[in-house]
Amino acid sequence: MKLNLLKLFVLLAVPFATANAADVNMKFGKPTKEEMLMTTYDADPKADAVVLCRLTDVEYTVEFNGYIVDYHEKCRIKVLQPGGERFAKVVVPFNKNVTGANRLDSSHMSLKGLMFDMGSATSAVFNDAAGSMLDNSVGSYTDESIEDLKATAFNQEGSKVVKTNMKKSDVKTTKLNDTDYQLEFTVPNVKVGTVIEYEYTIHSQLFWQLRDWYAQCDIPVVYAKLDMNIPNYLLFNMEEQGIQRLSCSCTTGTLRYKLESDPLAAASVVNTNHYVCVGRNLAAIPKLDGIWNVNDYSAGITTELKRFSIRGNGAMDYAKTWDQVDAMILDSDELGKRLNDHSPLAAELKASDIPSMEYQRQRVEAVCKLVMSKVKWNGKYAFAPASPAETLKKGEGSNADINLLLIQSLAEVGVTATPVLLRTRDLGMLPYNFPSIRKISTFLVGVILPGGSKAYLDASSPSGSLNDLPSLMLVERARLLQKGHKSQWINLQKLEK
């Protein structure tokens, strides 16, 4: 793993020739002669394709009781060698019905749950009003849509440039689950030598949750620019990441708006934070063994909401520390409050010989074996668990469903067990610098053994043995929760079996 990361760092740290913005064609719809006749990319002659220009503009619209955010995406790619044709296929994820999803996974809960006492006699009144305001502004704001999609292939045929536009039949939408969808389109007539151009807008009602933006991919990028103009009613923590660095700035701007509910009123102006991040001559991210998620090392920007207000209302602060996120999760109906409930297997466990076993490790493995005989893992990882009684009745469930049943059942035999929050390795690392409930993807079971030592297990492990976790969960950053105790960061890559 360390050798692979060192190799990745060396490959990405090699300086490329510098390109100025003036050298980049930012006009879409008409590739330059140089782009059409280009056969190799000098900085990376082996590249089968190169991103010539990518522009992402993020714009907010002020609504009567909330906001809309639009992501305008434009991209131009040159296919240089066989294999580069794969970039004719583009997949765009989007969401629907987010508020109606299980609440631990939804940003709606992270908004309402991360609002904390302001330390004054009026804080309870303020929180009630703020909660009502959030219900009004977030309750109906749940969907995203893909709009203004168009894509074209440009091919040099003799002295002419031939355009092939995408048809409706080249586009399809797929529902992945209750909230996750994807739009997939294929640019026609793409071959070696083609310049691909496409653009679309993601129209999002999830104004409190900015999408992560990564400038790098598995082919070189000549130029990429992120331009965000955000009303100062919304304050985000911003974190730049990657081995190659972006050039970023933040200035004060303005946004004019006019509410549809009051068409006769004059236009209003709100101050904004205007962020611009530019990546030039970015190297391709190589595929190396041991690298689970290349975005951990890609030049990019990740965000998390820090403060929020609706016009004319007081601002609400959200979690500033992981400790506050921990407290919110431990107080949640879905997970935290269920930790103290009796297991639906309580009577069976009491009647067994498990409580009388001398060693805790024996009791842990015996309980795990019993639970696994009752409930099978359905192959899914989740964060928000179902009711343990429902899971037991159904006979199967996600790892979160079964892990909650495990925690409750272990408590019945005198073993202290607690959730360990994490983000699976394929999704990337949890951020240290700012708290983010939406980055958490699941939890496993942490067992507190005599003397204070800890061991771990998960319902997705076929053996059910302590510290025998699937490689997907062997993360460097996991968070062990305990009521009445300060939570801890845990490195699950350093476990003794």
Side-chain angles (χ1 to χ4, degrees):
M1 179 70 175
K2 291 183 179 179
L3 290 175
N4 286 325
L5 292 181
L6 177 61
K7 183 179 179 182
L8 180 66
F9 181 84
V10 171
L11 288 171
L12 295 182
V14 175
F16 278 32
T18 302
N20 296 317
D23 301 327
V24 178
N25 173 24
M26 297 191 194
K27 295 182 179 179
F28 281 69
K30 191 176 181 179
T32 64
K33 180 179 179 180
E34 291 76 15
E35 289 171 334
M36 293 305 306
L37 298 179
M38 181 182 185
T39 57
T40 59
Y41 180 50
D42 291 343
D44 188 354
K46 293 183 179 180
D48 58 10
V50 59
V51 176
L52 299 172
C53 182
R54 179 190 171 195
L55 305 176
T56 306
D57 293 326
V58 180
E59 298 180 351
Y60 271 84
T61 301
V62 180
E63 300 281 294
F64 176 73
N65 63 343
Y67 308 91
I68 298 292
V69 59
D70 288 310
Y71 303 83
H72 305 290
E73 184 77 34
K74 292 184 177 181
C75 190
R76 181 186 299 114
I77 300 172
K78 174 72 177 188
V79 179
L80 299 171
Q81 298 180 24
E85 302 94 336
R86 69 186 185 279
F87 290 96
K89 181 178 178 180
V90 181
V91 176
V92 184
F94 64 102
N95 297 293
K96 284 185 177 292
N97 308 313
V98 170
T99 301
N102 51 44
R103 294 188 298 142
L104 261 176
D105 286 330
S106 73
S107 296
H108 184 219
M109 178 176 178
S110 61
L111 271 174
K112 296 189 70 175
L114 294 180
M115 182 174 63
F116 285 88
D117 194 312
M118 299 174 66
S120 70
T122 61
S123 64
V125 175
F126 177 86
N127 284 345
D128 287 343
S132 176
M133 183 174 72
L134 280 171
D135 285 337
N136 291 334
S137 62
V138 175
S140 60
Y141 282 64
T142 62
D143 292 342
E144 294 181 320
S145 60
I146 312 297
E147 303 174 358
D148 303 323
L149 170 64
K150 57 183 178 181
T152 305
F154 298 87
N155 287 291
Q156 187 78 38
E157 296 185 4
S159 60
K160 295 182 178 180
V161 175
V162 177
K163 294 170 56 177
T164 307
N165 293 322
M166 184 177 65
K167 301 177 182 178
K168 287 186 178 180
S169 58
D170 298 318
V171 183
K172 69 176 183 178
T173 299
T174 304
K175 179 179 179 180
L176 304 179
N177 54 48
D178 289 342
T179 60
D180 297 326
Y181 291 70
Q182 69 178 26
L183 180 141
E184 179 182 311
F185 63 89
T186 303
V187 186
N189 197 27
V190 172
K191 51 193 173 184
V192 173
T194 300
V195 170
I196 300 169
E197 282 193 358
Y198 59 82
E199 58 184 273
Y200 57 86
T201 296
I202 302 174
H203 187 68
S204 178
Q205 296 172 326
L206 307 179
F207 63 85
W208 62 89
Q209 181 176 299
L210 284 175
R211 289 171 167 243
D212 295 339
W213 185 82
Y214 297 100
Q216 283 180 284
C217 58
D218 61 350
I219 56 174
V221 177
V222 177
Y223 185 85
K225 180 182 178 182
L226 172 67
D227 190 315
M228 301 189 293
N229 199 34
I230 304 174
N232 62 8
Y233 296 128
L234 297 161
L235 182 61
F236 288 88
N237 287 316
M238 301 272 180
E239 182 172 72
E240 183 189 351
Q241 63 181 59
I243 297 172
Q244 283 194 272
R245 308 304 289 179
L246 303 173
S247 173
C248 294
S249 65
C250 179
T251 57
T252 300
T254 58
L255 173 67
R256 292 177 63 85
Y257 68 92
K258 191 170 184 178
L259 299 177
E260 293 182 1
S261 59
D262 193 1
L264 299 180
S268 299
V269 177
V270 59
N271 289 330
T272 62
N273 292 310
H274 185 196
Y275 299 89
V276 176
C277 294
V278 175
R280 295 180 175 88
N281 304 296
L282 301 172
I285 298 289
K287 295 180 179 179
L288 299 174
D289 293 338
I291 306 299
W292 280 79
N293 189 305
V294 296
N295 286 339
D296 287 336
Y297 312 99
S298 301
I301 299 293
T302 60
T303 64
E304 191 74 16
L305 185 65
K306 180 180 180 181
R307 177 173 290 184
F308 164 79
S309 66
I310 298 293
R311 299 171 304 103
N313 290 276
M316 292 173 291
D317 286 325
Y318 295 95
K320 298 177 181 178
T321 67
W322 274 106
D323 288 339
Q324 290 175 328
V325 173
D326 302 337
M328 183 270 291
I329 293 173
L330 287 172
D331 193 48
S332 67
D333 293 331
E334 293 86 350
L335 179 55
K337 291 182 179 178
R338 286 175 170 168
L339 296 175
N340 295 328
D341 292 346
H342 283 288
S343 167
L345 293 170
E348 185 171 345
L349 286 164
K350 186 177 181 180
S352 71
D353 61 352
I354 297 176
S356 62
M357 291 181 176
E358 182 179 358
Y359 299 107
Q360 276 205 12
R361 283 182 175 270
Q362 288 180 303
R363 277 180 268 161
V364 171
E365 293 186 356
V367 169
C368 188
K369 184 177 179 180
L370 174 63
V371 170
M372 297 304 185
S373 70
K374 302 283 186 179
V375 185
K376 303 299 181 185
W377 180 49
N378 63 10
K380 297 179 181 180
Y381 290 97
F383 180 29
S387 160
E390 294 176 4
T391 300
L392 187 61
K393 182 178 179 181
K394 191 175 180 180
E396 68 170 18
S398 69
N399 78 312
D401 298 334
I402 304 172
N403 283 342
L404 179 56
L405 177 59
L406 267 172
I407 291 172
Q408 291 181 349
S409 299
L410 288 167
E412 299 290 347
V413 298
V415 175
T416 300
T418 192
V420 178
L421 312 177
L422 58 92
R423 181 173 173 87
T424 53
R425 294 172 73 182
D426 59 324
L427 299 178
M429 297 182 187
L430 282 179
Y432 275 139
N433 294 345
F434 57 79
S436 176
I437 190 174
R438 69 186 179 95
K439 297 286 187 182
I440 301 168
S441 65
T442 189
F443 69 91
L444 52 77
V445 179
V447 178
I448 313 300
L449 298 170
S453 62
K454 302 173 185 66
Y456 308 92
L457 55 90
D458 185 77
S460 64
S461 173
S463 72
S465 299
L466 287 171
N467 291 349
D468 186 16
L469 301 175
S471 57
L472 191 68
M473 306 188 87
L474 297 179
V475 298
E476 294 180 19
R477 302 175 188 175
R479 197 147 179 88
L480 184 143
L481 303 187
Q482 271 190 283
K483 286 190 174 182
H485 298 274
K486 186 175 177 63
S487 298
Q488 304 172 36
W489 286 105
I490 301 294
N491 186 345
L492 295 174
Q493 292 187 350
K494 297 181 178 180
L495 299 181
E496 295 182 4
K497 294 184 180 180

